[in-house]
């Protein structure tokens, strides 16, 4: 929701692109990659469709943004901080109304039910509550789409991350969050939070979040935009796309199992829906790290003022661009109407969504208590009848059954998320096969966030030479007893203080002339012994430190 969930929604405040065009029209023949998908419990992308268990996966879902607040938010973790009965009842009600996918918030920087109550301070009780949400969702055969952060002010959002870096938020100040030169700390704090979440082990199941198929997908942010920052970026989307690419690569480096979405609204003048806000639908979703497109239509808002037929045309335009231009599934991640016959609207929009080949929907929002009077829907609401029919139709299109969610008590860890300190771990690209740059033809910036016994490193390599570097290995020597525990966008090998970071097998492999790439890592240290390494060599050639 583009405004605080506690208040009504206001106006604007509130590729590998097109790579797997494996389908024409509304049907995908499940062969090749889709047969491989049958071996996993994770929802995957098969061309322009979601797939699960070797079949196309269509779904009807909803949002319950505040599920993470069910409980007192204080006291004993298991009996007071979380309200297990309320969580279980709500998930059971969702399942009874044929909800198969739930989009929900997994962010808050507030003290009450905060996931991150201060910069880098993660609330164990709150994550334990989210552990239980996952477990309850699994029992009710509901898959989750957690959202990592909020563009808007509700629950802190990126305004709070800007505040932690000494910057002001609000409009248009929020744009600084996506600009690395203006707020490098915002990039670091976001990555740190995401890494903490992905690598968390659910204390009920023993399964890390990144290994749990109960989670269908992650979304980078609720409704990100880079609005009114430069004269051309409202339409070009350059800065937001760079942020999406960097964060997408970071997440995929830790968690290759799950799908990843942007959380975009789909506003754009060419759709006659909202304005140009620095987040063009096609260009942003063409990021090779993004698996599906999204949009959030609210047609009866005063600034939109669309009728049913106009809304059908709008949604069909998104579906067409998603399938035939971007080449990915389309997720209508939020939508609703007010001051109209909602049952009539739901019936018309769901029927047309299915006919147009839409892949998944999630209306805003299914509440347990205290419906907001504008968009809230509770159990027993008349508009849930067309929703249940829609869900039944989507299940039929998926083969007639939604496979149950199962997890392994001993999940295998992905190689990219399990860096080894052992010298026996070989890098994914052999340095001998890499093209060495001439001496002085590379620069390295090594950013250091040191907390004494632990730290994060943020490394940027730039090719200042005259030829592209194909395959790379960056080497350095730590000044003390630093040990890498996790690395993203690169593969580490460590022997004592000697470290080699090499490109992953499938991305970040080439540094073009004048181009740069970035990777980062978490590590342990001994207080007072940390610092910037003295030298860096790239494929054997010494780089200039900047």
């Amino acid at each position: 929701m583009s405004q605080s969930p506690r208040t009504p929604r206001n106006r604007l405040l509130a590729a590998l692109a097109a790579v797997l065009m494996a389908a024409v029209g509304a049907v995908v023949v499940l062969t090749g990659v889709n047969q491989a998908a049958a071996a996993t419990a994770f929802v995957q992308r098969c061309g322009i469709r979601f797939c699960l268990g070797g079949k196309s996966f269509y779904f009807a879902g909803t949002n319950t943004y505040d599920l993470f607040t069910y409980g007192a938010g204080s006291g004993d973790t298991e009996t007071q901080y979380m309200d297990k009965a309320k969580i279980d009842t709500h998930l059971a009600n969702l399942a009874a109304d044929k909800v198969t996918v739930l989009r929900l918030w997994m962010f808050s920087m507030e003290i009450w039910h905060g996931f991150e109550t201060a910069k880098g301070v993660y609330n164990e009780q709150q994550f334990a509550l989210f552990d239980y949400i996952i477990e309850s969702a699994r029992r009710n055969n509901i898959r989750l789409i957690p959202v990592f952060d909020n563009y808007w002010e509700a629950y802190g959002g990126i305004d709070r991350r800007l505040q932690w870096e000494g910057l002001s938020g609000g409009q248009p100040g929020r744009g600084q969050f996506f600009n690395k030169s203006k707020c490098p700390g915002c990039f670091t704090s976001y990555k740190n939070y995401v890494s903490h979440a992905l690598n968390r082990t659910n204390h009920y199941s023993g399964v890390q979040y990144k290994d749990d198929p109960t989670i269908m997908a992650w979304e980078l942010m609720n409704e990100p935009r880079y609005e009114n920052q430069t004269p051309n970026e409202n339409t070009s989307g350059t800065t937001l796309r760079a942020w999406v690419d960097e964060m997408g690569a970071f997440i995929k480096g830790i968690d290759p199992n799950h799908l990843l979405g942007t959380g975009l609204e789909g506003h754009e003048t060419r759709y006659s829906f909202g304005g140009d806000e620095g987040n063009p639908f096609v260009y942003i979703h063409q990021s090779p790290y993004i698996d599906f497109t999204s949009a959030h239509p609210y047609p009866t808002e005063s600034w939109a003022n669309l009728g049913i037929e106009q809304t059908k045309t709008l949604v069909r335009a998104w579906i067409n661009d998603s399938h035939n231009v971007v080449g990915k599934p389309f997720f209508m991640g939020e939508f609703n109407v007010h001051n109209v016959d909602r049952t009539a609207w739901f019936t018309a929009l769901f029927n047309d969504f299915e006919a147009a080949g839409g892949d998944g929907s999630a209306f805003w929002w299914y509440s347990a208590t205290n419906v907001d009077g504008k968009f809230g829907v509770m159990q027993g609401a008349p508009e849930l009848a067309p929703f249940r029919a829609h869900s039944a139709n989507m299940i039929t299109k998926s083969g007639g059954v939604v496979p149950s969610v199962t997890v392994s008590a001993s999940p295998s860890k992905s190689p990219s998320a399990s860096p080894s300190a052992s010298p026996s771990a070989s890098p994914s690209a052999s340095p001998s096969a890499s093209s060495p740059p001439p001496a002085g033809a590379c620069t390295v910036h090594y950013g250091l966030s040191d907390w004494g016994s632990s730290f994060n490193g943020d490394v940027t390599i730039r090719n200042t030479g005259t030829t592209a570097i194909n395959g790379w290995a960056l080497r350095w020597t730590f000044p003390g007893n630093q040990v890498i525990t996790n690395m993203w966008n690169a593969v580490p090998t460590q022997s004592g203080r000697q470290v080699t970071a090499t490109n992953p097998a499938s991305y970040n492999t080439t540094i073009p002339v004048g181009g740069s790439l970035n990777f980062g890592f978490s590590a342990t240290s001994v207080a007072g012994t940390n610092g910037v390494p003295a030298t860096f060599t790239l494929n054997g050639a010494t780089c200039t430190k900047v």
Side-chain angles (χ1 to χ4, degrees):
M1 191 67 181
S2 67
Q3 177 65 294
S4 169
R6 299 166 181 153
T7 62
R9 180 185 178 96
N10 292 335
R11 188 174 180 250
L12 294 176
L13 207 179
L16 303 177
V19 170
L20 294 175
M21 298 283 285
V24 177
V27 179
V28 173
V29 179
L30 294 176
T31 58
V33 63
N34 296 12
Q35 290 180 348
T40 178
F42 293 93
V43 176
Q44 297 185 311
R45 177 169 75 90
C46 300
I48 62 169
R49 300 295 177 210
F50 298 113
C51 54
L52 176 63
K55 299 178 180 179
S56 292
F57 177 61
Y58 298 86
F59 65 87
T62 188
N63 290 261
T64 301
Y65 72 87
D66 64 342
L67 189 57
F68 73 92
T69 68
Y70 288 9
S74 61
D76 177 71
T77 301
E78 300 292 331
T79 62
Q80 295 172 302
Y81 190 96
M82 68 178 84
D83 188 336
K84 294 179 179 179
K86 186 176 181 180
I87 294 170
D88 286 338
T89 297
H90 190 68
L91 271 296
N93 288 342
L94 292 174
D97 275 321
K98 295 188 178 298
V99 171
T100 55
V101 172
L102 179 67
R103 181 174 178 261
L104 72 169
W105 292 175
M106 196 179 70
F107 58 77
S108 175
M109 290 83 163
E110 297 179 351
I111 298 301
W112 183 73
H113 279 297
F115 288 91
E116 185 175 6
T117 55
K119 182 180 178 181
V121 178
Y122 307 121
N123 181 358
E124 172 61 28
Q125 287 186 297
Q126 186 60 38
F127 276 98
L129 188 160
F130 207 84
D131 292 349
Y132 192 80
I133 290 173
I134 295 172
E135 291 304 292
S136 186
R138 178 183 300 115
R139 290 195 298 269
N140 286 282
N141 206 29
I142 293 174
R143 288 164 172 82
L144 303 176
I145 302 180
V147 185
F148 284 129
D149 213 329
N150 196 11
Y151 180 83
W152 306 103
E153 64 271 19
Y155 302 107
I158 62 175
D159 282 0
R160 191 64 51 83
R161 296 202 184 279
L162 287 161
Q163 181 184 6
W164 288 340
E165 303 304 319
L167 299 171
S168 298
Q171 294 279 60
R174 290 183 184 131
Q176 299 170 100
F177 177 86
F178 304 100
N179 190 322
K180 201 168 190 176
S181 65
K182 293 183 178 180
C183 191
C186 292
F187 281 57
T188 301
S189 68
Y190 178 92
K191 287 180 177 178
N192 288 347
Y193 177 74
V194 168
S195 178
H196 181 84
L198 294 177
N199 289 299
R200 176 174 176 81
T201 299
N202 189 311
H203 76 289
Y204 297 106
S205 66
V207 178
Q208 291 182 302
Y209 285 13
K210 64 186 178 184
D211 292 322
D212 196 326
T214 313
I215 296 164
M216 172 183 162
W218 307 103
E219 281 193 344
L220 292 172
M221 184 174 290
N222 179 50
E223 301 184 339
R225 56 174 71 175
Y226 192 71
E227 186 178 16
N228 297 335
Q229 301 298 313
T230 64
N232 69 324
E233 284 223 47
N234 277 355
T235 54
S236 73
T238 304
T239 295
L240 185 61
R241 170 63 186 271
W243 182 85
V244 168
D245 284 346
E246 179 167 341
M247 298 309 166
F250 168 76
I251 290 167
K252 291 291 189 177
I254 299 173
D255 177 6
N257 292 318
H258 288 105
L259 301 175
L260 182 64
T262 61
L264 252 60
E265 296 165 275
H267 291 183
E268 207 169 342
T269 55
R270 72 187 187 91
Y271 294 120
S272 298
F273 181 69
D276 296 316
E277 300 160 355
N279 52 6
F281 179 87
V282 167
Y283 181 60
I284 300 300
H285 287 129
Q286 284 176 328
S287 169
Y289 308 103
I290 297 303
D291 296 296
F292 57 92
T293 68
S294 73
H296 298 174
Y298 287 88
T300 57
E301 294 301 278
S302 60
W303 53 268
N305 194 28
L306 301 179
I308 290 179
E309 293 305 316
Q310 292 169 307
T311 305
K312 290 180 184 178
T313 299
L314 170 65
V315 175
R316 280 180 175 264
W318 283 323
I319 293 172
N320 179 73
D321 282 352
S322 181
H323 290 172
N324 298 318
V325 181
V326 181
K328 297 174 184 178
F330 174 70
F331 172 45
M332 191 161 63
E334 294 183 21
F335 75 95
N336 213 328
V337 292
H338 69 104
N339 293 334
V340 293
D341 184 342
R342 187 176 287 170
T343 299
W345 274 75
F346 271 34
T347 300
L349 294 183
F350 286 142
N351 287 343
D352 200 67
F353 187 84
E354 294 163 21
D359 301 284
S361 66
F363 70 84
W364 184 276
W365 64 291
Y366 194 119
S367 174
T369 55
N370 301 322
V371 168
D372 61 17
K374 186 176 184 181
F375 293 126
V377 177
M378 285 188 67
Q379 186 184 35
E383 58 267 38
L384 287 174
F387 171 80
R388 289 190 294 271
H390 170 53
S391 181
N393 291 339
M394 298 295 263
I395 291 171
T396 297
K397 292 178 70 172
S398 304
V401 64
V402 178
S404 60
V405 184
T406 58
V407 297
S408 168
S410 302
S412 58
K413 296 182 179 181
S414 59
S416 61
S418 306
S420 171
S422 168
S424 62
S426 59
S428 61
S430 170
S432 62
S434 304
S435 54
C442 53
T443 65
V444 172
H445 175 74
Y446 184 92
L448 180 62
S449 299
D450 192 355
W451 302 294
S453 61
S454 64
F455 71 101
N456 273 11
D458 186 79
V459 182
T460 300
I461 308 170
R462 179 172 294 277
N463 181 2
T464 56
T466 58
T467 59
I469 300 170
N470 298 307
W472 55 269
L474 186 72
R475 294 187 174 89
W476 71 87
T477 301
F478 279 134
N481 295 319
Q482 289 78 35
V483 177
I484 292 175
T485 57
N486 187 32
M487 183 174 282
W488 47 91
N489 297 344
V491 179
T493 303
Q494 181 169 358
S495 178
R497 298 183 181 184
Q498 306 290 323
V499 177
T500 301
T502 58
N503 60 270
S506 58
Y507 66 95
N508 251 12
T509 57
T510 300
I511 315 176
V513 175
S516 63
L517 59 80
N518 174 265
F519 67 90
F521 61 89
S522 300
T524 61
S525 184
V526 176
T529 68
N530 212 346
V532 178
T535 59
F536 296 90
T537 62
L538 182 65
N539 296 350
T542 301
C543 297
T544 302
K545 289 196 300 182
V546 294

